[in-house]
Amino acid sequence: MIEWPAFSTDEFLDAVRDAFMPGATSGIAECGGYRVRTLLRGGRAVTGLWQFPVYREPLDPATVAGGTRVPYLDDVVVAVTRAGEAGPPGTRPSPFVSWRDFPDWETFLARSQAPPGLDAPATVLRKMRKLERELGPVEHRLFDDDPEVFETLIRWKAAHFALTRRDHVLSRPEVVEFYRELRRRGIFNASSLRAGGRLVSGQIAYRVHGRHLSRLMVYDHDPALRRYSPGSVMQLLTLEASYRAGDSEFDYLMGSEPHKYTYSTHTRWVGKVGREPAVRRMERVARRQVSRRLSHFPGAYNRIRAMERRTKRWVNRAR
């Protein structure tokens, strides 16, 4: 089994708190029969963490009791189905692969079927061999400690996001710095794919309780590489590495991107529990709208965010 750095849910929540919400504490919130470990502030669960979306998985009621009662929780896993089955109305999918279902890697490959328009696993393997023949030896590293690889993957992803929208998660300097801080804390790790020594694709991921969570998968958009599908090759090799590492599952996290459905075996369905107070909802929506408008003016946006961070530090020192 491959040695893989791991961390606890509390460590992750502490990192989110330190980066975005210094006044919050990690704890257990209860709403509508669901208990989740999350961030609390002023006796309320933190909602709308758009800068760094995460889902909240219910705790086992047989082992966890009590918690802070709250009127509303968002991003809660309210159902789990097999891949292809519908979820409850109003929920969002979070596909994953359960490795427990497969006695060997070959059995998994045999059951994987690509949606229309995407390469089947056998085609991806042929492209990998073509990549190796034409560019040089293919090297996949599940853990790549080179800090430049980490930075390159973030730059590539930010550039890809910017092609379709101005306001994206990696357009915010504090979010990029948060990725770096998680790497410094040993929570985030980079995986890489090289061909002939050239970095062509990679992934930023983390691991908790034996589960591989894929936060960011990206590839070099050089048109000369398109025929090799380096992102698809990277995905398949990382899945195999996760399986051989002895993981219990490979989690794609929230999102319905088509490539996830070639391999996923199950889906978590993420939704809301309870009723969000109208005032809080209006505040959250207003903050998001203002942030999106300001993102079109990077200079003003960055100055306001810097001022906000300084204000938070002053307030925290005064407490």
Side-chain angles (χ1 to χ4, degrees):
M1 183 179 296
I2 298 172
E3 289 295 326
W4 192 320
F7 67 98
S8 70
T9 303
D10 282 339
E11 286 178 296
F12 179 76
L13 288 173
D14 288 346
V16 175
R17 178 201 63 204
D18 294 346
F20 299 121
M21 301 168 183
T25 60
S26 59
I28 297 173
E30 190 277 329
C31 180
Y34 290 87
R35 290 185 177 88
V36 299
R37 189 171 296 281
T38 187
L39 290 176
L40 299 163
R41 185 167 54 185
R44 302 181 303 184
V46 172
T47 61
L49 187 58
W50 180 82
Q51 298 99 323
F52 197 83
V54 293
Y55 63 65
R56 299 172 168 96
E57 200 160 14
L59 300 169
D60 184 353
T63 59
V64 178
T68 301
R69 288 185 177 275
V70 297
Y72 170 78
L73 286 170
D74 66 354
D75 296 338
V76 177
V77 177
V78 296
V80 180
T81 67
R82 301 286 300 188
E85 297 177 358
T91 57
R92 293 170 291 155
S94 183
F96 68 97
V97 180
S98 174
W99 293 126
R100 301 182 184 91
D101 296 350
F102 303 102
D104 52 58
W105 172 249
E106 289 68 29
T107 301
F108 171 72
L109 278 186
R111 61 78 55 195
S112 300
Q113 296 186 358
L118 296 183
D119 289 338
T123 302
V124 175
L125 290 172
R126 285 198 297 273
K127 289 185 174 182
M128 181 182 73
R129 292 190 289 269
K130 180 180 177 67
L131 177 67
E132 188 157 31
R133 286 196 307 271
E134 298 184 2
L135 267 71
V138 167
E139 180 187 13
H140 177 265
R141 296 181 186 176
L142 187 58
F143 306 111
D144 195 321
D145 292 332
D146 185 346
E148 183 54 32
V149 169
F150 193 88
E151 293 297 321
T152 298
L153 300 183
I154 290 178
R155 287 197 303 271
W156 282 354
K157 196 66 173 182
H160 296 176
F161 279 150
L163 292 174
T164 56
R165 54 190 186 275
R166 286 181 179 231
D167 185 29
H168 59 82
V169 66
L170 294 178
S171 68
R172 302 190 169 200
E174 71 271 24
V175 177
V176 175
E177 183 55 34
F178 182 49
Y179 271 77
R180 293 169 178 150
E181 177 61 23
L182 288 176
R183 181 182 182 274
R184 286 191 288 267
R185 295 188 185 205
I187 294 176
F188 271 9
N189 295 281
S191 302
S192 63
L193 176 67
R194 290 177 172 83
R198 173 184 175 180
L199 182 68
V200 296
S201 187
Q203 179 200 61
I204 293 175
Y206 49 111
R207 183 177 186 264
V208 60
H209 306 312
R211 293 157 57 178
H212 181 117
L213 294 93
S214 177
R215 169 58 58 180
L216 181 157
M217 182 84 75
V218 67
Y219 57 93
D220 187 345
H221 269 216
D222 182 346
L225 296 175
R226 190 173 303 163
R227 63 182 178 274
Y228 307 116
S229 299
S232 297
V233 175
M234 176 70 194
Q235 177 178 217
L236 185 56
L237 292 179
T238 305
L239 282 163
E240 181 176 7
S242 171
Y243 177 84
R244 299 196 186 285
D247 290 338
S248 59
E249 66 180 59
F250 184 100
D251 191 339
Y252 282 107
L253 298 177
M254 289 187 286
S256 55
E257 293 84 353
H259 71 87
K260 298 180 180 180
Y261 293 97
T262 299
Y263 303 106
S264 60
T265 61
H266 297 76
T267 304
R268 291 185 177 88
W269 295 95
V270 181
K272 301 175 181 179
V273 179
R275 184 177 180 84
E276 184 178 18
V279 173
R280 288 177 60 194
R281 182 173 62 254
M282 287 188 291
E283 289 176 349
R284 177 170 55 82
V285 171
R287 283 197 305 270
R288 182 172 297 185
Q289 289 176 342
V290 169
S291 294
R292 286 179 175 173
R293 288 182 181 277
L294 285 173
S295 69
H296 293 273
F297 306 95
Y301 173 80
N302 292 337
R303 286 194 297 273
I304 290 172
R305 293 298 293 158
M307 182 175 65
E308 183 182 48
R309 287 192 292 270
R310 288 196 298 270
T311 302
K312 285 182 178 179
R313 286 196 294 268
W314 293 338
V315 170
N316 290 330
R317 293 191 191 109
R319 286 176 176 169

